[in-house]
Amino acid sequence: MQFHQLAYFVAVAEHRHFTRAAEQMRVAQPSLSQQIRALEHDLGAPLFHRIRGNVSLTEAGETLLPIARRILADTETARLAIRELAELDRGRVRLGAPPSLCTGLLPAMLAAFRRRYPGIQLELHESGSGDLRQRLAEGALDLALLAGARTTADAGLTATPLLLEELVVITAPDAPVAHTGTRLGIHDLADVPLVMFRRGYDVREATVNACRAAGFEPSFAIEGGEMDAVLELVRAGVGAAVVPSTVAGDRFLMTRFTPGAGMTRVVQLAHRADLEPTRAVRALRSAIAGFVADPARRASLPAGIESLVDDVS
């Protein structure tokens, strides 16, 4: 098994097309096909179904794909680490974060980091925490801000708790639920249609689990949206939604769950445990933790958010 064969395999798997994969890899299509066949021979199993121009992964191909992606990502990380200058005037960090943090606290954090390390290239990948965990495991990200109900890290990840954030209910100002008071218990959502995020968002899992623990199945007005779509659908009066307090702002009338409902989430900063972070990655990790721990910033955190990082002043 050779490195370039894995690169060819991943390209074909992503494009589902040998010719387009060859164009991406800048190699002749017959040569790419020959290397794929050599890889299959070496592994002793076919990696693709080839039926009248339709290319799909076999079971062996599905098994190899995340491993190949991780190997390629690890190799790229090693190259970047070796090329980094001691002064941190060059480097790259691929950071993943949930949409709520991308529009909330993260811009100020990254702006402060850029002022200190203007030579480090930042790549921001926005998605739900479930997706980000998978991308970390595959080596497609260097760091990720992960949100969930608990502080325990996934196997293979090293995570540092940063923030405890309250989840709130938002509705359009004229929605019936908006007139029930300033606080809601979980049982109050039994008859409220919800605008629900797509699978992969930690808030979706937290909401559904809380409703089921209270003895009912939540009803969805619409499901499958990203953060911006959910907020706009709520604004239009389609239904209510449970969202992190950082995105609620003043655009909606917010009603908060009673403390007994336990509707909070922990935001952690995570990286793969089996990889030594590059200098650039370590610098960003330290900057984010320091930003949250700074006494002045802790005092100015929005309502519903609590820092979990020890004071580093």
Side-chain angles (χ1 to χ4, degrees), residues 137-158:
E138 293 178 352
L141 294 174
D142 302 305
L143 285 173
L145 291 161
L146 304 177
R150 298 175 298 277
T151 58
T152 53
D154 295 6
L157 298 182
T158 298

Side-chain angles (χ1 to χ4, degrees), residues 239-292:
V242 178
V243 300
S245 58
T246 47
V247 303
D250 297 324
R251 290 180 293 176
F252 304 96
L253 175 64
M254 293 191 303
T255 53
R256 298 182 183 275
F257 284 108
T258 57
M263 294 296 288
T264 60
R265 69 174 188 172
V266 176
V267 177
Q268 302 179 93
L269 184 59
H271 64 87
R272 271 180 52 184
D274 62 340
L275 287 181
E276 178 62 27
T278 66
R279 293 171 63 87
V281 171
R282 294 198 301 271
L284 180 58
R285 186 177 62 186
S286 177
I288 291 176
F291 186 96
V292 174

Side-chain angles (χ1 to χ4, degrees), residues 100-143:
S100 57
L101 292 178
C102 288
T103 58
L105 297 176
L106 194 56
M109 294 181 186
L110 296 185
F113 180 79
R114 284 286 298 167
R115 286 192 293 270
R116 183 173 182 183
Y117 301 108
I120 295 179
Q121 175 188 357
L122 295 176
E123 295 182 9
L124 181 59
H125 300 264
E126 183 178 355
S127 191
S129 292
D131 301 331
L132 296 177
R133 288 186 182 91
Q134 182 64 32
R135 299 193 71 177
L136 267 181
E138 293 178 352
L141 294 174
D142 302 305
L143 285 173

Side-chain angles (χ1 to χ4, degrees), residues 211-225:
C211 291
R212 288 173 177 170
F216 68 93
E217 195 71 20
S219 62
F220 298 156
I222 293 180
E223 63 174 318

Side-chain angles (χ1 to χ4, degrees), residues 161-175:
L162 292 180
L163 300 165
L164 180 66
E165 183 175 12
E166 186 177 25
L167 301 180
V168 300
V169 176
I170 58 172
T171 71
D174 57 351

